[in-house]
Amino acid sequence: QVQLVESGGGLVEPGGSLSLSCAASGSHFGFASMSWYRQAPGKQRELVADITRDGTTDYADSVKGRFAISRDSAKNPVVSLQMNNLKPEDTAVYYCRAEARFGPHEYWGQGTQVTVSS
């Protein structure tokens, strides 16, 4: 059974930094891609950053130049999101998502709260 466990959220002042981690387990074949999404109160969940199996990355325009996604090469990897120069509008619950290599399967973590406030 695939599981994704996030960690690293918390409270930070504007301009500060946080690093989120997502540890995957239980996959026999690995993942085609892994992503970070976020959902702010009253808003739809949105894609923040994505990284494919070969390391190709993509970012939402709102976080380009401030956030960086990375992963290790393990079959069940740890995916990290380094967030710099955080803004109050980055406040949200951040979710890790993994897309299976084979078949239409996706997996989600439980979410971790990030609050940017002075």
Side-chain angles (χ1 to χ4, degrees), residues 15 28 65:
H28 295 293

Side-chain angles (χ1 to χ4, degrees), residues 87-100:
K87 303 176 180 180
E89 51 263 43
D90 295 318
T91 295
V93 178
Y94 283 69
Y95 297 90
C96 180
R97 174 188 178 272
E99 181 178 331

Side-chain angles (χ1 to χ4, degrees), residues 38 62-63 66-67 83-94 114-116:
R38 67 186 180 187
S62 60
V63 306
R66 298 189 297 122
F67 290 13
M83 306 185 293
N84 299 322
N85 190 20
L86 282 159
K87 303 176 180 180
E89 51 263 43
D90 295 318
T91 295
V93 178
Y94 283 69
V114 172
T115 302
V116 185

Side-chain angles (χ1 to χ4, degrees), residues 10-109:
L11 172 65
V12 64
E13 292 187 347
S17 299
L18 276 178
S19 182
L20 306 182
S21 292
C22 171
S25 62
S27 174
H28 295 293
F29 304 109
F31 304 101
S33 68
M34 297 191 73
S35 311
W36 285 97
Y37 283 72
R38 67 186 180 187
Q39 188 166 20
K43 295 187 176 181
Q44 291 189 330
R45 192 172 296 189
E46 62 174 358
L47 176 66
V48 176
D50 177 85
I51 185 165
T52 63
R53 183 177 175 81
D54 66 0
T56 301
T57 59
D58 191 25
Y59 297 92
D61 287 343
S62 60
V63 306
K64 282 181 180 176
R66 298 189 297 122
F67 290 13
I69 188 171
S70 61
R71 61 178 287 174
D72 61 34
S73 59
K75 182 172 60 179
N76 287 282
V78 175
V79 179
S80 299
L81 185 69
Q82 178 64 41
M83 306 185 293
N84 299 322
N85 190 20
L86 282 159
K87 303 176 180 180
E89 51 263 43
D90 295 318
T91 295
V93 178
Y94 283 69
Y95 297 90
C96 180
R97 174 188 178 272
E99 181 178 331
R101 288 185 67 194
F102 306 109
H105 303 298
E106 63 175 8
Y107 308 95
W108 290 89

